[in-house]
């Protein structure tokens, strides 16, 4: 995406800005993205019929499993893949400009967690760490690099020393983990100190699937914190939404809209 559009994305101030830019990006994608162009034509959502935000067609994410969805003329720098489950086909997101993703997750994370650079970022993501094609691992690694905390890093599991650090050290800490690993930790009955907990979802077959409210209740009690944050992201997206109380909040350049999947 060219510099003008990239700069505009991260300087949206209101609904009017968002809609104007969304329509401009629709035109950009229609002209440059072969898959999106064909899809838009097949459902009769060509530029002459797209005049508002609600006219813009959404590309089904299943296309990321079957096609190379790419609008750039530049070479692909990175391919992110979804985790999937055994025997299922994974989505692949071809990225030609990683700086766009980096700006997105850094601005989004700092908006949800101001001054995160001063915190120790403890990443408990055992099911993802073995993968070098995970967009989540890429994001968290960059967050860790920007952190000044001496204990910041990835952990397969938390040993006695790091648990003691989480329980007793006064410094600000952010514990970001996959759901089943945080549940395992909560069963140890520890009391975190000055720590924000972010669950990224995903039982990965390690635990039974439960609703988020039930999981957060288990984690707040087991880790003795006032509330649990959540991160929502997708391989097919380059932005994240964060939950701090009851609702997820999106950054200014991201909105949740609905479409009829069969129409």
């Amino acid at each position: 995406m060219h510099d003008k559009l990239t700069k505009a994305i991260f300087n949206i101030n209101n609904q009017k800005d968002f809609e104007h830019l969304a329509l401009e990006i629709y035109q950009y994608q229609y002209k440059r993205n072969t898959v999106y162009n064909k899809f838009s034509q097949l459902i009769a959502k060509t530029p002459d019929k797209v005049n508002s935000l609600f006219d813009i067609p959404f590309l089904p994410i299943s296309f990321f499993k079957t096609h190379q969805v790419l609008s750039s003329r530049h070479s692909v720098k990175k391919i992110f893949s979804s985790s999937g489950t055994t025997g299922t086909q994974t989505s692949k997101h071809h990225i030609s400009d990683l700086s766009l993703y980096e700006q997105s997750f850094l601005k989004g994370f700092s908006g949800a967690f101001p001054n995160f650079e001063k915190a120790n970022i403890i990443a408990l993501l055992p099911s993802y760490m073995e993968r070098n094609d995970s967009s989540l691992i890429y994001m968290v690694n960059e967050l860790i690099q920007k952190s000044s905390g001496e204990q910041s890093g990835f952990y397969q599991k938390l040993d006695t020393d790091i648990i003691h650090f989480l329980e007793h050290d006064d410094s600000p800490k952010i514990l970001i983990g996959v759901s089943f690993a945080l549940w395992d930790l909560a069963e140890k009955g520890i009391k975190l100190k000055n720590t924000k907990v972010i669950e990224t979802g995903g039982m990965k077959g390690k635990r039974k699937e439960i609703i988020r409210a039930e999981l957060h209740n288990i984690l707040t009690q087991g880790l003795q914190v006032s509330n649990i944050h959540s991160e929502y992201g997708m391989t097919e997206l380059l932005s994240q939404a964060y939950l701090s109380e009851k609702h997820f909040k999106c950054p200014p350049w991201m909105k949740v809209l609905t479409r009829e999947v069969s129409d």
Side-chain angles (χ1 to χ4, degrees):
M1 190 171 293
H2 59 70
D3 293 341
K4 179 184 175 183
L5 280 179
T6 300
K7 184 177 180 180
I9 287 171
F10 300 117
N11 285 282
I12 292 173
N13 294 311
N14 50 51
Q15 173 66 18
K16 185 177 180 181
D17 284 353
F18 185 96
E19 180 157 1
H20 175 79
L21 188 57
L23 288 167
E24 189 174 350
I25 290 174
Y26 159 75
Q27 296 279 353
Y28 179 93
Q29 295 287 352
Y30 183 86
K31 292 175 183 176
R32 290 171 170 260
N33 191 315
T34 305
V35 175
Y36 187 67
N37 178 285
K38 184 65 174 178
F39 173 74
S40 299
Q41 290 187 50
L42 287 171
I43 62 170
K45 286 292 186 179
T46 48
D48 58 307
K49 297 177 181 178
V50 175
N51 300 303
S52 76
L53 182 64
F54 297 95
D55 294 330
I56 298 173
F58 292 168
L59 188 72
I61 61 170
S62 60
F63 283 29
F64 285 85
K65 295 181 178 181
T66 56
H67 295 74
Q68 185 184 71
V69 182
L70 189 66
S71 58
S72 175
R73 302 290 188 264
H74 300 293
S75 60
V76 173
K77 296 293 192 297
K78 184 78 175 177
I79 301 176
F80 290 128
S81 298
S82 59
S83 54
T85 54
T86 304
T88 62
Q89 189 174 3
T90 59
S91 292
K92 294 190 182 299
H93 195 165
H94 296 76
I95 309 294
S96 58
D97 183 5
L98 280 165
S99 69
L100 182 67
Y101 181 43
E102 291 165 1
Q103 287 184 74
S104 178
F105 68 65
L106 287 172
K107 288 178 181 290
F109 195 82
S110 62
F113 303 96
N115 302 313
F116 76 87
E117 299 93 340
K118 298 179 181 179
N120 287 272
I121 298 179
I122 311 299
L124 187 58
L125 301 165
S127 61
Y128 290 88
M129 287 175 60
E130 299 81 8
R131 297 173 47 220
N132 62 7
D133 59 356
S134 165
S135 57
L136 176 63
I137 290 293
Y138 188 94
M139 177 183 81
V140 175
N141 182 61
E142 289 295 312
L143 296 175
I144 288 171
Q145 297 305 313
K146 297 206 174 283
S147 164
S148 60
E150 293 184 2
Q151 300 298 327
S152 293
F154 288 98
Y155 295 82
Q156 282 281 2
K157 61 180 181 178
L158 304 186
D159 60 24
T160 303
D161 289 340
I162 195 66
I163 290 176
H164 185 273
F165 172 76
L166 287 168
E167 288 187 301
H168 300 287
D169 195 272
D170 290 324
S171 63
K173 297 172 284 292
I174 296 174
L175 172 61
I176 181 167
V178 67
S179 297
F180 76 82
L182 291 176
W183 192 345
D184 289 346
L185 184 64
E187 288 185 338
K188 297 180 182 293
I190 68 177
K191 184 177 182 179
L192 300 182
K193 185 175 185 179
N194 200 16
T195 302
K196 293 180 178 178
V197 181
I198 308 172
E199 58 91 3
T200 68
M203 291 300 180
K204 305 302 179 186
K206 305 286 187 181
R207 292 273 194 166
K208 68 175 182 178
E209 295 291 343
I210 58 177
I211 63 172
R212 177 174 282 110
E214 186 179 353
L215 173 65
H216 284 202
N217 185 52
I218 292 170
L219 297 182
T220 52
Q221 291 187 31
L223 302 176
Q224 297 187 54
V225 292
S226 58
N227 71 305
I228 303 295
H229 302 267
S230 289
E231 178 266 349
Y232 181 80
M234 295 170 59
T235 298
E236 301 86 354
L237 294 176
L238 293 184
S239 297
Q240 295 77 30
Y242 293 96
L243 176 147
S244 58
E245 295 295 338
K246 294 183 178 180
H247 304 288
F248 279 93
K249 293 184 68 175
C250 298
W253 56 90
M254 178 182 179
K255 283 188 182 296
V256 178
L257 301 172
T258 58
R259 292 290 187 275
E260 173 54 58
V261 69
S262 60
D263 185 356

